[in-house]
Coordinates of all heavy atoms in Angstrom, one line a residue:
M1 N -77.4 -107.1 -17.9 CA -76.4 -106.9 -18.9 C -75.1 -106.5 -18.3 O -75.1 -105.9 -17.3 CB -77.0 -106.0 -20.0 CG -77.3 -104.6 -19.5 SD -77.8 -103.4 -20.8 CE -79.5 -103.9 -21.0
A2 N -74.1 -106.8 -18.9 CA -73.8 -107.0 -20.3 C -72.4 -107.6 -20.4 O -71.7 -107.6 -19.5 CB -73.8 -105.6 -21.1
Y3 N -72.1 -108.0 -21.7 CA -70.7 -108.4 -21.9 C -69.9 -107.2 -22.4 O -70.5 -106.2 -22.9 CB -70.7 -109.6 -22.9 CG -70.8 -110.9 -22.2 CD1 -72.1 -111.3 -21.7 CD2 -69.8 -111.7 -22.0 CE1 -72.3 -112.5 -21.1 CE2 -70.0 -112.9 -21.3 CZ -71.2 -113.3 -20.8 OH -71.4 -114.5 -20.2
K4 N -68.6 -107.3 -22.3 CA -67.7 -106.3 -22.8 C -66.6 -107.0 -23.5 O -66.3 -108.2 -23.2 CB -67.3 -105.3 -21.8 CG -66.3 -106.0 -20.7 CD -65.9 -104.9 -19.7 CE -65.0 -105.6 -18.6 NZ -64.6 -104.6 -17.5
I5 N -65.9 -106.2 -24.3 CA -64.7 -106.7 -25.0 C -63.4 -106.1 -24.5 O -63.4 -104.9 -24.3 CB -64.8 -106.5 -26.6 CG1 -65.9 -107.4 -27.1 CG2 -63.5 -106.8 -27.3 CD1 -66.3 -107.0 -28.6
V6 N -62.5 -106.9 -24.1 CA -61.2 -106.4 -23.6 C -60.4 -105.9 -24.8 O -59.9 -106.7 -25.5 CB -60.4 -107.4 -22.8 CG1 -59.1 -106.9 -22.3 CG2 -61.3 -107.9 -21.6
S7 N -60.4 -104.6 -25.0 CA -59.9 -104.1 -26.3 C -58.4 -104.4 -26.4 O -57.9 -104.5 -27.6 CB -60.1 -102.6 -26.3 OG -59.5 -101.9 -25.3
S8 N -57.6 -104.5 -25.3 CA -56.2 -104.7 -25.5 C -55.9 -106.2 -26.0 O -54.9 -106.5 -26.4 CB -55.5 -104.5 -24.1 OG -56.1 -105.4 -23.1
Q9 N -57.0 -107.0 -25.9 CA -56.8 -108.4 -26.4 C -57.5 -108.7 -27.7 O -57.2 -109.7 -28.4 CB -57.3 -109.4 -25.3 CG -56.6 -109.3 -24.0 CD -57.1 -110.3 -22.9 OE1 -56.6 -110.3 -21.8 NE2 -58.1 -111.1 -23.3
C10 N -58.4 -107.8 -28.1 CA -59.2 -108.0 -29.3 C -58.3 -107.8 -30.5 O -57.6 -106.8 -30.6 CB -60.3 -107.0 -29.3 SG -61.3 -107.0 -30.9
T11 N -58.3 -108.8 -31.4 CA -57.5 -108.8 -32.6 C -58.3 -108.2 -33.8 O -57.8 -108.2 -34.9 CB -57.0 -110.1 -33.0 OG1 -58.2 -111.0 -33.3 CG2 -56.2 -110.8 -31.9
A12 N -59.5 -107.7 -33.5 CA -60.4 -107.1 -34.5 C -60.6 -108.1 -35.7 O -60.7 -107.7 -36.8 CB -59.8 -105.8 -35.0
C13 N -60.8 -109.4 -35.3 CA -61.0 -110.3 -36.4 C -62.4 -110.2 -36.9 O -62.7 -110.8 -38.0 CB -60.8 -111.7 -35.8 SG -62.1 -112.3 -34.7
S14 N -63.3 -109.6 -36.2 CA -64.7 -109.3 -36.6 C -65.7 -110.6 -36.5 O -66.8 -110.5 -36.9 CB -64.9 -108.7 -37.9 OG -64.7 -109.6 -39.0
A15 N -65.1 -111.7 -36.0 CA -66.0 -112.9 -35.9 C -67.2 -112.7 -35.1 O -68.3 -113.3 -35.4 CB -65.1 -114.0 -35.4
C16 N -67.1 -111.9 -34.1 CA -68.3 -111.8 -33.1 C -69.4 -110.9 -33.7 O -70.5 -111.1 -33.4 CB -67.8 -111.2 -31.8 SG -66.9 -109.7 -32.0
E17 N -69.0 -109.9 -34.5 CA -70.0 -109.0 -34.9 C -71.3 -109.5 -35.5 O -72.4 -109.2 -35.1 CB -69.3 -107.9 -35.8 CG -70.3 -106.7 -36.2 CD -69.6 -105.8 -37.1 OE1 -68.6 -106.2 -37.8 OE2 -70.1 -104.7 -37.3
P18 N -71.1 -110.4 -36.6 CA -72.3 -110.9 -37.2 C -73.1 -111.9 -36.3 O -74.3 -112.3 -36.6 CB -71.8 -111.5 -38.5 CG -70.4 -111.9 -38.2 CD -69.9 -110.9 -37.2
E19 N -72.5 -112.5 -35.3 CA -73.1 -113.5 -34.5 C -74.1 -112.9 -33.4 O -74.9 -113.6 -32.8 CB -72.1 -114.4 -33.8 CG -71.1 -115.0 -34.7 CD -71.9 -115.9 -35.8 OE1 -72.9 -116.5 -35.4 OE2 -71.4 -116.0 -36.9
C20 N -73.9 -111.6 -33.1 CA -74.7 -111.1 -32.0 C -76.2 -110.9 -32.5 O -76.5 -110.2 -33.4 CB -74.2 -109.7 -31.6 SG -75.2 -108.9 -30.3
P21 N -77.1 -111.5 -31.7 CA -78.5 -111.4 -32.1 C -79.1 -110.0 -31.9 O -80.2 -109.7 -32.4 CB -79.2 -112.4 -31.2 CG -78.3 -112.5 -30.0 CD -76.9 -112.3 -30.5
N22 N -78.4 -109.2 -31.2 CA -79.0 -107.9 -30.9 C -78.2 -106.7 -31.6 O -78.4 -105.6 -31.3 CB -78.9 -107.6 -29.4 CG -79.8 -108.6 -28.6 OD1 -81.0 -108.8 -29.0 ND2 -79.3 -109.2 -27.6
N23 N -77.3 -107.1 -32.5 CA -76.5 -106.1 -33.2 C -75.8 -105.2 -32.2 O -75.8 -103.9 -32.4 CB -77.3 -105.3 -34.2 CG -77.8 -106.2 -35.3 OD1 -77.0 -107.0 -35.8 ND2 -79.0 -106.0 -35.7
A24 N -75.4 -105.7 -31.1 CA -74.7 -104.9 -30.0 C -73.2 -104.7 -30.2 O -72.6 -103.9 -29.5 CB -75.0 -105.6 -28.7
I25 N -72.7 -105.4 -31.2 CA -71.2 -105.3 -31.4 C -70.9 -104.5 -32.7 O -71.5 -104.7 -33.7 CB -70.6 -106.7 -31.6 CG1 -71.0 -107.6 -30.3 CG2 -69.1 -106.7 -31.7 CD1 -70.6 -109.1 -30.5
R26 N -70.0 -103.6 -32.5 CA -69.5 -102.9 -33.7 C -68.1 -102.5 -33.6 O -67.5 -102.5 -32.5 CB -70.4 -101.6 -33.9 CG -70.2 -100.6 -32.9 CD -71.1 -99.4 -33.3 NE -71.1 -98.4 -32.2 CZ -70.2 -97.4 -32.2 NH1 -69.3 -97.3 -33.1 NH2 -70.2 -96.5 -31.2
E27 N -67.5 -102.2 -34.8 CA -66.1 -101.8 -34.8 C -66.0 -100.3 -34.4 O -66.8 -99.5 -34.7 CB -65.6 -102.0 -36.2 CG -64.1 -101.8 -36.4 CD -63.6 -100.4 -36.7 OE1 -64.4 -99.6 -37.2 OE2 -62.5 -100.1 -36.4
K28 N -64.9 -100.0 -33.7 CA -64.7 -98.6 -33.3 C -63.2 -98.5 -33.0 O -62.6 -99.1 -32.2 CB -65.5 -98.3 -32.0 CG -65.3 -96.8 -31.7 CD -66.0 -96.4 -30.4 CE -65.8 -95.0 -30.1 NZ -66.2 -94.6 -28.7
D29 N -62.6 -97.6 -33.8 CA -61.2 -97.2 -33.6 C -60.3 -98.4 -33.7 O -59.4 -98.5 -32.8 CB -61.0 -96.4 -32.3 CG -61.8 -95.1 -32.3 OD1 -62.0 -94.6 -33.4 OD2 -62.2 -94.7 -31.2
G30 N -60.5 -99.4 -34.6 CA -59.6 -100.5 -34.8 C -59.8 -101.6 -33.8 O -59.0 -102.6 -33.9
T31 N -60.8 -101.6 -33.0 CA -61.1 -102.7 -32.1 C -62.7 -102.8 -32.2 O -63.4 -102.1 -32.9 CB -60.6 -102.4 -30.7 OG1 -60.9 -103.6 -29.9 CG2 -61.4 -101.3 -30.0
F32 N -63.2 -103.8 -31.4 CA -64.6 -104.0 -31.4 C -65.1 -103.8 -30.1 O -64.5 -104.0 -29.0 CB -65.0 -105.4 -31.9 CG -64.9 -105.5 -33.4 CD1 -63.7 -105.5 -34.1 CD2 -66.1 -105.7 -34.2 CE1 -63.7 -105.6 -35.5 CE2 -66.1 -105.7 -35.6 CZ -64.9 -105.7 -36.2
I33 N -66.4 -103.2 -30.0 CA -67.0 -102.9 -28.7 C -68.4 -103.4 -28.7 O -69.0 -103.7 -29.7 CB -67.0 -101.4 -28.5 CG1 -67.9 -100.7 -29.6 CG2 -65.6 -100.7 -28.4 CD1 -68.2 -99.2 -29.3
I34 N -68.9 -103.6 -27.5 CA -70.2 -104.1 -27.2 C -71.0 -102.9 -26.6 O -70.6 -102.3 -25.6 CB -70.3 -105.3 -26.3 CG1 -69.6 -106.5 -26.9 CG2 -71.7 -105.6 -25.8 CD1 -69.5 -107.7 -26.0
K35 N -72.1 -102.6 -27.2 CA -73.0 -101.6 -26.7 C -73.8 -102.2 -25.5 O -74.6 -103.0 -25.8 CB -73.9 -101.0 -27.8 CG -74.4 -99.6 -27.5 CD -75.1 -99.0 -28.7 CE -75.4 -97.6 -28.4 NZ -76.2 -96.9 -29.5
P36 N -73.5 -101.8 -24.3 CA -74.1 -102.5 -23.2 C -75.6 -102.4 -23.1 O -76.3 -103.4 -22.7 CB -73.5 -101.8 -21.9 CG -72.9 -100.5 -22.4 CD -72.6 -100.7 -23.9
E37 N -76.2 -101.3 -23.6 CA -77.7 -101.2 -23.6 C -78.3 -102.2 -24.5 O -79.5 -102.5 -24.3 CB -78.2 -99.8 -24.0 CG -77.4 -98.6 -23.5 CD -76.2 -98.3 -24.3 OE1 -76.3 -97.6 -25.3 OE2 -75.1 -98.8 -24.0
K38 N -77.6 -102.7 -25.5 CA -78.2 -103.7 -26.4 C -77.9 -105.1 -26.1 O -78.6 -106.0 -26.6 CB -77.7 -103.4 -27.8 CG -78.1 -102.0 -28.4 CD -77.6 -101.8 -29.7 CE -78.7 -101.8 -30.8 NZ -78.1 -101.6 -32.2
C39 N -76.9 -105.4 -25.3 CA -76.5 -106.8 -24.9 C -77.5 -107.4 -23.9 O -77.7 -106.8 -22.8 CB -75.1 -106.8 -24.4 SG -74.6 -108.5 -23.8
T40 N -78.1 -108.5 -24.3 CA -78.9 -109.3 -23.4 C -78.3 -110.5 -22.9 O -78.9 -111.4 -22.4 CB -80.3 -109.6 -24.1 OG1 -80.0 -110.5 -25.2 CG2 -81.0 -108.4 -24.5
E41 N -76.9 -110.6 -23.1 CA -76.2 -111.8 -22.7 C -76.6 -113.0 -23.5 O -76.5 -114.2 -23.1 CB -76.3 -112.1 -21.2 CG -75.8 -111.0 -20.3 CD -75.9 -111.2 -18.8 OE1 -76.1 -112.3 -18.4 OE2 -75.7 -110.2 -18.1
C42 N -77.3 -112.7 -24.6 CA -77.8 -113.7 -25.5 C -79.1 -114.5 -25.0 O -79.6 -115.5 -25.6 CB -76.8 -114.7 -26.0 SG -75.8 -114.1 -27.4
I43 N -79.6 -114.0 -23.8 CA -80.7 -114.7 -23.2 C -81.9 -114.6 -24.1 O -82.2 -113.5 -24.6 CB -81.0 -114.1 -21.8 CG1 -79.9 -114.5 -20.8 CG2 -82.3 -114.5 -21.3 CD1 -79.9 -113.7 -19.5
G44 N -82.6 -115.7 -24.3 CA -83.7 -115.7 -25.2 C -83.4 -116.1 -26.6 O -84.3 -116.3 -27.4
Y45 N -82.1 -116.1 -26.9 CA -81.6 -116.5 -28.3 C -80.8 -117.7 -28.3 O -81.0 -118.6 -29.1 CB -80.8 -115.3 -28.9 CG -81.6 -114.1 -29.1 CD1 -81.6 -113.0 -28.2 CD2 -82.3 -113.9 -30.3 CE1 -82.3 -111.8 -28.4 CE2 -83.1 -112.8 -30.5 CZ -83.0 -111.7 -29.6 OH -83.7 -110.6 -29.8
F46 N -79.8 -117.8 -27.4 CA -78.9 -118.9 -27.3 C -78.6 -119.3 -25.9 O -78.7 -118.4 -25.0 CB -77.5 -118.5 -28.0 CG -77.7 -118.1 -29.5 CD1 -77.7 -116.8 -29.8 CD2 -77.8 -119.0 -30.4 CE1 -77.8 -116.4 -31.1 CE2 -77.9 -118.7 -31.8 CZ -77.9 -117.4 -32.2
D47 N -78.1 -120.5 -25.7 CA -77.7 -120.9 -24.4 C -76.5 -120.3 -23.9 O -76.3 -120.1 -22.7 CB -77.6 -122.5 -24.3 CG -78.9 -123.2 -24.5 OD1 -80.0 -122.6 -24.2 OD2 -78.9 -124.3 -24.8
D48 N -75.6 -120.0 -24.8 CA -74.3 -119.3 -24.4 C -74.1 -118.0 -25.2 O -74.6 -117.9 -26.3 CB -73.2 -120.3 -24.8 CG -73.3 -121.6 -24.1 OD1 -73.4 -121.6 -22.9 OD2 -73.3 -122.7 -24.8
P49 N -73.4 -117.1 -24.6 CA -73.1 -115.9 -25.3 C -72.3 -116.1 -26.5 O -71.3 -116.7 -26.5 CB -72.3 -115.1 -24.3 CG -72.6 -115.7 -22.9 CD -72.9 -117.1 -23.2
Q50 N -72.9 -115.7 -27.7 CA -72.3 -116.0 -28.9 C -70.9 -115.3 -29.2 O -70.0 -115.8 -29.8 CB -73.2 -115.7 -30.1 CG -74.5 -116.6 -30.0 CD -74.1 -118.0 -30.2 OE1 -73.8 -118.5 -31.2 NE2 -74.2 -118.8 -29.1
C51 N -70.8 -114.1 -28.6 CA -69.5 -113.5 -28.8 C -68.4 -114.2 -28.1 O -67.3 -114.4 -28.6 CB -69.6 -112.0 -28.2 SG -70.2 -111.9 -26.6
V52 N -68.7 -114.8 -26.9 CA -67.7 -115.6 -26.2 C -67.4 -116.9 -27.0 O -66.3 -117.3 -27.1 CB -68.2 -116.0 -24.8 CG1 -67.2 -116.9 -24.1 CG2 -68.5 -114.7 -24.0
A53 N -68.5 -117.5 -27.5 CA -68.4 -118.8 -28.2 C -67.5 -118.6 -29.5 O -66.7 -119.6 -29.8 CB -69.8 -119.3 -28.6
V54 N -67.6 -117.5 -30.2 CA -66.8 -117.4 -31.4 C -65.5 -116.8 -31.3 O -64.6 -116.9 -32.2 CB -67.7 -116.7 -32.6 CG1 -68.9 -117.5 -32.8 CG2 -67.9 -115.3 -32.3
C55 N -65.3 -116.0 -30.2 CA -64.0 -115.3 -30.1 C -62.8 -116.2 -30.0 O -62.8 -117.1 -29.1 CB -64.1 -114.3 -28.9 SG -62.6 -113.3 -28.8
P56 N -61.8 -116.0 -30.9 CA -60.7 -116.9 -30.8 C -59.7 -116.6 -29.7 O -58.8 -117.4 -29.4 CB -60.0 -116.7 -32.2 CG -60.4 -115.3 -32.5 CD -61.8 -115.1 -32.0
V57 N -59.9 -115.5 -29.0 CA -59.0 -115.1 -27.9 C -59.7 -115.3 -26.6 O -60.7 -114.7 -26.3 CB -58.6 -113.7 -28.1 CG1 -57.4 -113.4 -27.1 CG2 -58.1 -113.3 -29.5
D58 N -59.1 -116.2 -25.8 CA -59.8 -116.5 -24.5 C -59.9 -115.2 -23.6 O -59.0 -114.4 -23.6 CB -58.9 -117.5 -23.7 CG -59.1 -118.9 -24.3 OD1 -60.0 -119.1 -25.1 OD2 -58.3 -119.8 -23.9
D59 N -60.9 -115.2 -22.9 CA -61.1 -114.1 -21.9 C -61.1 -112.7 -22.5 O -60.6 -111.8 -21.9 CB -60.1 -114.2 -20.8 CG -60.2 -115.5 -20.0 OD1 -61.3 -116.0 -19.8 OD2 -59.1 -116.1 -19.7
T60 N -61.6 -112.6 -23.7 CA -61.7 -111.3 -24.4 C -63.1 -110.7 -24.3 O -63.3 -109.5 -24.1 CB -61.1 -111.4 -25.8 OG1 -59.8 -111.7 -25.7 CG2 -61.2 -110.0 -26.5
C61 N -64.1 -111.6 -24.5 CA -65.5 -111.2 -24.3 C -65.9 -111.6 -22.9 O -66.0 -112.8 -22.6 CB -66.4 -111.8 -25.3 SG -66.0 -111.4 -27.0
I62 N -66.0 -110.7 -22.0 CA -66.2 -111.0 -20.6 C -67.4 -110.2 -20.0 O -67.8 -109.2 -20.6 CB -65.0 -110.7 -19.7 CG1 -64.6 -109.3 -19.8 CG2 -63.8 -111.6 -20.2 CD1 -63.5 -108.9 -18.9
I63 N -67.9 -110.7 -18.9 CA -69.0 -110.0 -18.2 C -68.5 -108.7 -17.7 O -67.4 -108.6 -17.1 CB -69.5 -110.8 -17.0 CG1 -70.5 -111.9 -17.5 CG2 -70.2 -110.0 -16.0 CD1 -71.9 -111.5 -17.8
D64 N -69.3 -107.6 -17.9 CA -69.0 -106.3 -17.4 C -69.7 -106.1 -16.1 O -70.9 -105.9 -16.1 CB -69.4 -105.2 -18.4 CG -69.0 -103.8 -18.0 OD1 -68.6 -103.7 -16.8 OD2 -69.1 -102.9 -18.8
N65 N -69.0 -106.2 -15.0 CA -69.7 -106.2 -13.7 C -70.2 -104.8 -13.3 O -70.8 -104.7 -12.2 CB -68.7 -106.7 -12.6 CG -68.5 -108.2 -12.7 OD1 -69.6 -108.9 -12.9 ND2 -67.3 -108.7 -12.6
S66 N -69.9 -103.8 -14.1 CA -70.4 -102.5 -13.8 C -71.9 -102.4 -14.2 O -72.6 -101.4 -13.9 CB -69.6 -101.4 -14.5 OG -69.7 -101.5 -15.9
Y67 N -72.4 -103.4 -14.8 CA -73.8 -103.5 -15.2 C -74.5 -104.6 -14.4 O -73.9 -105.7 -14.3 CB -74.1 -103.7 -16.6 CG -73.7 -102.4 -17.5 CD1 -72.4 -102.3 -17.9 CD2 -74.6 -101.5 -17.8 CE1 -72.0 -101.2 -18.6 CE2 -74.2 -100.3 -18.5 CZ -72.9 -100.2 -18.9 OH -72.6 -99.1 -19.7
P68 N -75.7 -104.5 -13.9 CA -76.4 -105.6 -13.4 C -76.7 -106.7 -14.4 O -76.7 -106.4 -15.6 CB -77.7 -105.1 -12.9 CG -77.9 -103.8 -13.6 CD -76.6 -103.3 -14.0
R69 N -76.7 -108.0 -14.0 CA -76.9 -109.1 -14.9 C -78.3 -108.9 -15.6 O -79.3 -108.5 -14.9 CB -76.9 -110.4 -14.1 CG -75.5 -110.8 -13.5 CD -74.4 -110.8 -14.6 NE -74.6 -111.8 -15.7 CZ -74.2 -113.0 -15.7 NH1 -73.5 -113.5 -14.7 NH2 -74.4 -113.8 -16.7
Y70 N -78.3 -109.2 -16.8 CA -79.6 -109.1 -17.6 C -80.6 -110.1 -17.1 O -80.3 -111.3 -16.8 CB -79.3 -109.4 -19.1 CG -80.5 -109.2 -19.9 CD1 -81.0 -108.0 -20.3 CD2 -81.2 -110.3 -20.3 CE1 -82.2 -107.9 -21.0 CE2 -82.4 -110.2 -21.1 CZ -82.8 -109.0 -21.5 OH -84.0 -108.9 -22.2
E71 N -81.8 -109.6 -16.9 CA -82.9 -110.5 -16.6 C -84.0 -110.4 -17.7 O -84.5 -109.3 -17.9 CB -83.5 -110.2 -15.2 CG -82.6 -110.6 -14.1 CD -83.2 -110.3 -12.8 OE1 -84.4 -110.5 -12.6 OE2 -82.5 -109.8 -11.9
A72 N -84.3 -111.5 -18.3 CA -85.3 -111.5 -19.3 C -86.7 -111.1 -18.7 O -87.0 -111.6 -17.6 CB -85.4 -112.9 -20.0
A73 N -87.5 -110.4 -19.5 CA -88.8 -110.1 -19.0 C -89.6 -111.3 -19.0 O -89.5 -112.1 -20.0 CB -89.4 -109.0 -19.9
V74 N -90.5 -111.5 -18.0 CA -91.3 -112.7 -18.0 C -92.8 -112.4 -18.1 O -93.1 -111.2 -17.9 CB -91.1 -113.5 -16.7 CG1 -89.7 -114.2 -16.7 CG2 -91.2 -112.7 -15.5
Ligands
LIG1 S1 -73.5 -111.7 -25.1 FE1 -74.8 -112.0 -26.9 S2 -76.1 -110.2 -27.0 FE2 -74.3 -109.7 -25.7 S3 -72.8 -108.9 -27.1 FE3 -72.4 -111.0 -26.9 S4 -73.5 -111.9 -28.7 FE4 -74.3 -109.9 -28.3
LIG2 S1 -64.3 -112.3 -32.0 FE1 -62.9 -111.6 -30.3 S2 -61.0 -110.9 -31.2 FE2 -62.6 -111.1 -32.9 S3 -63.4 -109.0 -33.0 FE3 -64.7 -110.1 -31.6 S4 -63.8 -109.7 -29.5 FE4 -62.3 -109.1 -31.1

C-alpha cells in the first residue's frame, strides 16, 4: 500500500470517497485523505485504483512511496 492524496491539489469534490472499496478515503480539514492502512491499491476489487480513475485533477491521487506496495494475500 498505498495511495495518497496531494492535499494542495485536491478540490474536495468528494468524487473519490464513495468509490473506494475499502472506505479508506475521508474528508479531513477541508480536503480528502487516504488512510494508508486501509488502502489495498484496489487490488482484488478493480483493475485500476478507483480514486485515480474518478479524480478530476491529474496527479492528485498518487502512490505513496513511503509504504511498500500492497501485495494481495494468496
Ligand atoms: S487505491 Fe483503491 S483502495 Fe486505495 S484509496 Fe484509492 S480507491 Fe481506495
Ligand atoms: S476526487 Fe480528487 S479532487 Fe476530488 S476529493 Fe478526491 S482527491 Fe480530491
